[in-house]
Amino acid sequence: MIPHPAFSVDPWSVGETELNLDVLAQAESVFALSNGHIGLRGNLDEGEPHGLPGTYLNGFYEVRPLPYAEAGYGYPEDGQTVVNVTNGKIIRLLVDDEPFDMRYGRLLAHERVLDLRAGVLRRATDWESPARRRVRVSSVRLVSFVQRSVAAILYEVEPVDASTRIVVQSQLEANEPMPPMSRDPRAAAVLAAPLESEMSVARDQRAMLAHSTRASGLRMAAGMDHEIQCTGRYGSLIESGPDLARLTITTDLEPGQTLRIVKYLGYAWSSRRSLASVRDQVDAAVAEAHHTGWERLLAGQRDYLDQFWRCGDVELDGDAELQQAVRFALFHTLQAGARAERRAIPAKGLTGPGYDGHAFWDTETYVLQALTYTAPDAAGDALRWRHSILDFARERARLLNLQGAAFPWRTIRGHECSAYWPAGTAAFHVNADIADAVARYHAASEDDDFMREVGTELLVETARLWRSLGHHDADGMFRIDGVTGPDEYSALSDNNVYTNLMAQRNLRAAAEAAEQYPDPAAALGVDHEETAGWRDAAKTMLVPYDERLRVNPQSEGFTRHEKWDFANTPEDHYPLLLHYTYFDLYRKQVVKQADLVLAMHLRGDAFAEDDKARNFAYYEALTVRDSSLSACTQAVMAAEVGHLDLAYDYFAEAALMDLDDLEHNTADGVHIASLAGAWIAAVAGFGGMRDHDGRLTFTPRLPPALRRLSFGLGFKGRWIRVEVTHDQARYRLRSGPPLQTSHHGQPMTVTTEEESVLPIPDAPARPRPSQPPGREPARRRAPLRWVAPSASVPSVSSPNPPEGATP
């Protein structure tokens, strides 16, 4: 785990004040910058030392073979893995011929700060070389939200106590040596040097490299240009080769003199366009960045984020560390999808190669919940990506002898990439998760063009899958057998409650869309008989219930299975999948991540209140949280049924997943779904926000440790702000027509003219449920105080904080 004091606690930034090589890779993920199209890991500017180099383009991948001991019909043959593309971050420095490397000499001061309002990574270092030459180095790095194909770096060097020879090498480097990414030697060989050179050119202070992948046939290019300011005389030389382009700048500086370099980077890729087209796109991006200039790039970044925070900020009083964490979480959630523009949102965003860069159902179920209400354009674009891979999903359904579309469990381009079919192919709930996100986005945005162009088709084709996958039994109930729900410690179960209830919503939404948008529905061949079949299946959907225990079994027969022997499971045997066979896990009552509990959140309209409380207590005793997706959902339902302290513990776990490296794999990228889950835990948990059937309602309650929660969200052309204390909640529209909603079941109308202030009833008194031994969430202790960032880090000039921001 990251020793947390290394990160200073501040409401609007995350900083480190020492260089800890043992957690360098984790810090690189935390400090990663992205706009959803370009991703730059937070590697040091000089390239070394590093934990894991990483520069990514969303959707750019290489094909690799999937290993099987024994293949079978319908098994995916190839996987897809994100590629570390040409690295433009590298700016090497030599001080009197000595490489600037913080592992040598004396590191007198070091600080890096991820600025959540300015959208930049700032760095300041005071270093003395082994030859006792002392220099101060500072940099500011950004990936532009405004200019999608652009990143930029400001790099400054100043000698401190003597005349110093300075050499700076600004580089583009492809096929960087990487640590092994796969145990399969065939895949390792494919990924060792995945880029083949197609072009290299250098002139004046500009250079470009273009490459293509061997197997997937994708083409990408990276370009750089520079602005150089130096108070002394300097010279420069540019050169390029197949995998390296380098601008070398040499100068002699006296104390007080500074070499200042602004490096503009442009990236582009395509699966279809010519080399000339991709080259010209990068040339244009770099030229536009140079024309805009450093200061205006900074200003555009700040303006973009000011608007985001003004609408979507979450404020917490009473826990400084969690205030920082929830803003960090929102920032990374935004980065993952802001400018993805019809590309996937991977599970690790563009912060690292974890999960091979794949997108899962996490995107629709967690990430798009947050983005729909805070950055709706990004949510709509993510769903348009799903529509773009619909033909692959139809093809997969046909291969499985099903109708409609079968969306992949994990993918980059749209093909199923899971070699383990019980968790992959059988996890059909991804179809319903996509449909749920479509319905949520449309209800919140009222984007009818979206429904005509893509939404109706997504709902129709996902509904068709359920109608062919399920069947009516002898009692007339609609069953969906042999599927895998969200809990990956169960597989091939009959009538998984989450799957059935989400499929029910999918079927209803498809029928409603076909009526509301008859032209696209007719073009798809939808008729009255088909919509009637969807409605009938939804009406008769089987939802198992155990009358003896008075709880819902996670799937049919689940509560009759033998319970896992938690008492005799050693603490070091978690996560269980690394120490026990799936066969053993599948036949026992043990839950990897919230499944039935997630159903109660997303389909809370299908459960009685007393059943929710009993279900929650039952599954708390079985859930081991071997997945980062679990804590936020448990936080939401703990808050709803009245366990506010427990909800607070789970909220902290979701929000601090990466800042504290709780899953021990932040090194390969942050957990975007868990970070989005921090927003969900705050807004849906303590804010009590629900959006069933396209209507917002609120049942807010705070845990004792928090004094105030305030959050904003957009809905149907309105921006609403909600403020919660222990005694009352305040609702007010920032913009838009009056909104009909409810507070703890009491109908109300929220307007821009007058604030609605309503009392908060006490939570029901219930005993705190127990968890498996050793799997309890860490109790949230006394929060940390603010720690002001060091004045040694150069600040980025910016306007006043956004309205409503906590100073």
Side-chain angles (χ1 to χ4, degrees), residues 701-723:
R701 287 191 181 98
L702 289 187
L706 296 180
R707 297 189 299 271
R708 185 181 73 98
L709 164 70
S710 177
F711 60 89
L713 51 85
F715 187 72
K716 297 184 184 294
R718 305 161 173 88
W719 283 103
I720 185 173
R721 195 78 196 170
V722 181
E723 182 179 284

Side-chain angles (χ1 to χ4, degrees), residues 30-347:
V30 168
F31 291 139
L33 294 177
S34 172
N35 61 8
H37 175 57
I38 302 169
L40 306 182
R41 278 179 63 83
N43 306 115
L44 296 168
D45 301 286
E46 296 77 25
E48 297 180 23
H50 62 244
L52 181 65
T55 303
Y56 311 105
L57 294 176
N58 195 342
F60 194 85
Y61 67 94
E62 182 58 304
V63 174
R64 60 179 177 82
L66 287 177
Y68 292 105
E70 183 176 342
Y73 174 80
Y75 284 18
E77 296 180 0
D78 297 310
Q80 299 161 0
T81 298
V82 65
V83 171
N84 177 37
V85 300
T86 304
N87 185 356
K89 302 188 296 290
I90 297 177
I91 303 177
R92 299 196 193 278
L93 171 64
L94 291 92
V95 179
D96 275 3
D97 302 323
E98 189 82 40
F100 180 92
D101 187 324
M102 294 190 292
R103 293 170 293 188
Y104 307 102
R106 284 204 305 154
L107 185 58
L108 304 174
H110 163 78
E111 188 164 28
R112 287 193 292 176
V113 173
L114 180 65
D115 189 321
L116 306 177
R117 285 185 293 187
V120 299
L121 176 64
R122 295 187 266 118
R123 176 264 190 107
T125 301
D126 192 337
W127 178 77
E128 185 180 77
S129 75
R132 299 187 182 279
R133 284 291 184 264
R134 183 179 171 194
V135 293
R136 293 193 182 101
V137 176
S138 64
S139 68
V140 184
R141 180 187 301 172
L142 68 82
V143 176
S144 177
F145 287 118
V146 179
Q147 298 186 26
R148 180 174 181 256
S149 300
V150 168
I153 303 168
L154 169 65
Y155 191 84
E156 295 180 300
V157 184
E158 175 190 355
V160 175
D161 52 9
S163 177
T164 307
R165 298 189 308 277
I166 298 293
V167 178
V168 171
Q169 297 170 319
S170 177
Q171 300 183 180
L172 297 173
E173 183 177 344
N175 288 320
E176 294 175 281
M178 297 287 291
M181 299 298 293
S182 173
R183 295 180 181 178
D184 180 355
R186 298 170 301 161
V190 168
L191 300 174
L195 300 174
E196 293 188 319
S197 176
E198 290 196 322
M199 185 194 75
S200 65
V201 61
R203 183 179 178 183
D204 299 327
Q205 295 172 359
R206 303 183 67 177
M208 183 185 299
L209 300 179
H211 290 80
S212 60
T213 53
R214 294 183 177 88
S216 61
L218 306 183
R219 173 177 289 118
M220 61 83 51
M224 66 178 180
D225 196 2
H226 302 81
E227 289 179 358
I228 304 170
Q229 296 177 6
C230 186
T231 49
R233 295 177 60 189
Y234 74 91
S236 65
L237 173 68
I238 191 106
E239 55 190 328
S240 68
D243 286 346
L244 178 67
R246 177 166 57 213
L247 173 68
T248 302
I249 304 162
T250 59
T251 186
D252 295 329
L253 295 180
E254 300 293 333
Q257 293 184 318
T258 302
L259 173 63
R260 183 181 192 267
I261 302 167
V262 177
K263 182 177 187 177
Y264 300 106
L265 294 168
Y267 284 92
W269 77 269
S270 177
S271 61
R272 298 179 179 178
R273 290 187 288 117
S274 67
L275 174 61
S277 175
V278 175
R279 175 202 65 200
D280 291 349
Q281 182 182 357
V282 170
D283 267 337
V286 173
E288 178 59 23
H290 203 151
H291 170 72
T292 302
W294 174 252
E295 294 300 330
R296 286 202 294 160
L297 282 174
L298 280 180
Q301 193 85 337
R302 179 60 188 253
D303 289 345
Y304 185 99
L305 284 166
D306 275 352
Q307 176 61 31
F308 173 73
W309 292 119
R310 187 174 295 115
C311 298
D313 186 26
V314 173
E315 300 174 44
L316 296 173
D317 289 351
D319 193 324
E321 192 177 26
L322 287 187
Q323 173 66 90
Q324 176 194 49
V326 75
R327 284 186 175 135
F328 168 81
L330 263 175
F331 179 76
H332 266 292
T333 302
L334 176 68
Q335 286 199 128
R339 300 301 305 273
E341 295 176 8
R342 307 191 187 190
R343 298 289 179 195
I345 298 178

